[in-house]
Amino acid sequence: LSKEGFDVYSKILDSSDFGVPQKRKRIFIIGTKCDWDYIFPMGNNANFGNLISRKNVGEAIMDLVNSKSAINHQALNHSEIVIRRYEHIPEGGKLPPPEELPIDIRRKNFGNTYQRLDRKKPSTTMVPGNNAFPVHPTLNRSLTPREAARLQSFSDEHEFFGSRKMQCKLVGHAVPPLLAAVLANSIANHLLGGNDKTLRIDELVIRRGEYLGNKKSEGRKTFIDLFCGSGGFARGFIDAGFECVATSDFDTFVSDA
């Protein structure tokens, strides 16, 4: 990017700093040919359109406990042994060492799935997989795709297609839409002349001498989404006012959906 004349900026952002009830750190790289610096957004806990900011797991999913109508809200049918293991996990904790468990439910290695979320804290990072989600804070089962989607900041109207296994994969891979929307908004501000909130957009003058008037404001802000997955990044950018003109993913199920 630098060799092609772009100024490149990078920063690690944690989704929990932007109203997403999940600890999820990702590096973002921005390349620009504008004559002014790009400034990454500061953390905030504000809603963005229909993307709702939530502080913790409890705010995000506890109203779904008795829901029969939420889409993608199918629980996995765990075996009796798995349920008995879940019963030994305290809220916010992990499964006790094997020697502290009844002999018939012991196992040499327990993965991250044997971890119960805490209602008062953000969740751990969602990862893809049919049984890869952590344990519900109060119920002896793993999260449903919809509960995990809430922790990713997807709106309830965003439906995930395919089998339950595919839905879990799509949710786990996604960029949280709320974080994407905040990032997209900062990019839009950058394209309009910078991130200086004290200046009015219609008063800004690009250093090249082009006045930012109606001509610029009527132009479309477009983007393409590479490695699009379930569309978390695209959803955020669309909510921030950008138009998606193309998506691409090596997974044909995702790209066709």
Side-chain angles (χ1 to χ4, degrees), residues 1 3 10 103 111 125 146 170 195 208 218-219 228:
L1 285 172
K3 290 181 180 178
S10 65
I103 295 178
T125 301
R146 176 51 49 193
L170 293 173
N195 297 73
R208 299 186 185 94
E218 291 174 357
C228 61

Side-chain angles (χ1 to χ4, degrees), residues 227-255:
F227 326 109
C228 61
S230 59
F233 204 74
R235 182 73 267 163
F237 268 64
I238 291 170
D239 280 21
F242 285 74
E243 179 183 349
C244 183
V245 295
T247 62
S248 176
D249 198 289
F250 78 100
D251 189 324
T252 56
F253 175 86
V254 170
S255 57

Side-chain angles (χ1 to χ4, degrees), residues 197-208:
K197 302 298 184 182
T198 65
L199 297 178
R200 288 170 46 193
I201 293 300
D202 59 2
E203 294 176 340
L204 290 174
V205 178
I206 296 184
R207 294 176 190 175
R208 299 186 185 94

Side-chain angles (χ1 to χ4, degrees), residues 6-26:
F6 288 87
D7 292 324
V8 181
Y9 303 82
S10 65
K11 188 173 183 179
I12 295 176
L13 301 178
D14 189 331
S15 62
S16 64
D17 293 330
F18 296 88
V20 181
Q22 177 191 176
K23 301 292 291 183
R24 191 183 190 95
K25 293 183 178 181
R26 295 293 184 269

